[in-house]
Amino acid sequence: MNCRDFSEIVDSYLSNELLVETNHDVIRHLEHCRDCRELLAERRELRARLKGAVVRADYSQIDPAFAVRVRDELRSKFERPARSFAGMRLAFAGLAVVIIAVIGIALYVLSTRKSTEQAVLPPEATPSNVIIPPEGTQVVPAFLVEVSRDAFDDHKNCALAHKLKERPISLEKAARTVDAVNLGFDRDVMDALRERFGNDAKLIKAHYCVINGRYFTHVVVALANRTTSVLLTKQTDAERDSADPMPCGSDTNLSAACFSSGGYAVFVVSDSLESETLQVANTISGAVARHISKAKVAA
Ligand SMILES: [Zn+2]
Ligand SMILES: [Zn+2]
């Protein structure tokens, strides 16, 4: 199987419609093909989003007026004493209809929820540990989760708006006065991004800034017209180092990917899809690791 073959059957694969042998071919190909693993992750995410949109859509919701009517009807039937045996029978018949309707709606909601969850998981025949673990199984180290909140804040208040309390300083100045790792960080990040994305990657600005008391080496990039932040900060917890890039939470319409290297935590924050943000982190992680070790040798 080659990449073209895979791209033609990726949807059948996700729908678990392939023969067992073909499934095995797919898994063998995915084991050594990163491009197709990324394609699979993107397609899986897209399908989950589409399903989610249907479940959340207006026509899938219970009409609030209907809900109020049902509640009032139930209440009046219970509170009003039945005037006759026939009236009581009528009330019970009405109640039975309402209960059946409520159970039906609950079952429907449950079944759509379940199918949304299933869409995120790989097909049964797939050994998920070989390919991409379903969301939630990858454990993000606690300190990265904690720093990611500041990374989101910095992206919002520094890259997207200009609402920092302290003015940022240049990377050259930060390299002289704070940490040599700042020198040329923007250049190494941009080189890696241009190698992969060509002219779609444009440097907006690079500086050393502080938010919530945390200092970041901050490179702001326009990637295919989306504003993306690459943020580097010194790690306090040096034990959990060298984590590979992984999805690192989301904040409203933003997603983050993070990794740690040589005593630094690195974040990519963007309004792109999680899979795309992760792709950016994968693209720069090697160059960033080399940059950090280079700076340490020079220091
Ligand atoms: Zn491939
Ligand atoms: Zn900044």
Side-chain angles (χ1 to χ4, degrees):
M1 170 158 315
N2 58 34
C3 298
R4 238 230 335 254
D5 297 338
F6 178 71
S7 72
E8 279 165 11
I9 58 166
V10 58
D11 282 304
S12 313
Y13 175 69
L14 281 169
S15 308
N16 212 6
E17 286 163 357
L18 298 177
L19 296 170
V20 176
E21 303 92 271
T22 320
N23 256 332
H24 285 310
D25 288 346
V26 168
I27 291 162
R28 261 199 301 280
H29 180 74
L30 288 173
E31 273 172 18
H32 61 79
C33 182
R34 187 157 133 181
D35 286 345
C36 287
R37 284 201 299 271
E38 281 175 1
L39 172 69
L40 179 66
E42 280 165 23
R43 206 55 76 82
R44 186 181 281 146
E45 191 171 87
L46 181 67
R47 288 162 68 104
R49 273 173 191 246
L50 283 175
K51 283 213 169 177
V54 170
V55 172
R56 284 189 301 274
D58 287 346
Y59 57 78
S60 309
Q61 310 300 320
I62 300 170
D63 178 9
F66 171 73
V68 168
R69 223 162 47 232
V70 169
R71 197 191 59 207
D72 290 350
E73 224 159 284
L74 275 171
R75 189 174 287 159
S76 68
K77 288 210 165 96
F78 276 114
E79 284 170 357
R80 200 189 309 139
R83 258 166 264 149
S84 67
F85 184 63
M88 215 157 99
R89 264 210 345 222
L90 210 67
F92 274 115
L95 189 61
V97 167
V98 168
I99 288 171
I100 288 165
V102 167
I103 290 172
I105 290 166
L107 284 178
Y108 170 75
V109 169
L110 277 178
S111 72
T112 52
R113 285 240 176 98
K114 209 168 156 212
S115 63
T116 316
E117 274 161 25
Q118 276 166 351
V120 187
L121 299 173
E124 273 170 4
T126 312
S128 59
N129 55 340
V130 176
I131 309 175
I132 302 145
E135 264 184 317
T137 56
Q138 211 165 11
V139 179
V140 182
F143 75 92
L144 287 178
V145 173
E146 173 136 358
V147 184
S148 75
R149 292 189 201 111
D150 295 330
F152 279 120
D153 274 356
D154 201 42
H155 180 71
K156 284 187 277 191
N157 293 301
C158 180
L160 299 181
H162 302 275
K163 289 195 279 189
L164 289 184
K165 289 195 190 105
E166 274 182 58
R167 265 186 52 193
I169 62 170
S170 73
L171 292 184
E172 291 74 25
K173 188 172 179 194
R176 277 197 313 273
T177 56
V178 190
D179 186 345
V181 80
N182 286 287
L183 193 66
F185 182 70
D186 50 343
R187 199 187 49 227
D188 283 342
V189 166
M190 288 312 296
D191 283 351
L193 289 176
R194 285 207 193 92
E195 196 176 310
R196 167 121 201 195
F197 299 103
N199 288 332
D200 279 344
K202 293 186 184 70
L203 177 70
I204 297 176
K205 62 183 175 183
H207 58 224
Y208 188 70
C209 58
V210 55
I211 189 149
N212 309 337
R214 191 183 301 277
Y215 291 86
F216 284 111
T217 305
H218 190 184
V219 180
V220 186
V221 190
L223 258 184
N225 298 324
R226 288 178 190 275
T227 305
T228 301
S229 280
V230 177
L231 297 141
L232 172 98
T233 190
K234 193 121 180 90
Q235 231 167 261
T236 43
D237 182 353
E239 296 150 49
R240 312 284 297 275
D241 203 13
S242 307
D244 284 333
M246 63 188 105
C248 206
S250 56
D251 184 324
T252 51
N253 59 342
L254 301 172
S255 63
C258 60
F259 58 97
S260 77
S261 180
Y264 293 86
V266 184
F267 295 83
V268 175
V269 182
S270 160
D271 61 349
S272 309
L273 293 178
E274 189 176 82
S275 57
E276 290 167 348
T277 308
L278 184 60
Q279 196 184 69
V280 174
N282 278 321
T283 303
I284 62 167
S285 63
V288 168
R290 282 191 297 279
H291 175 88
I292 290 168
S293 47
K294 213 167 59 192
K296 278 186 174 165
V297 172

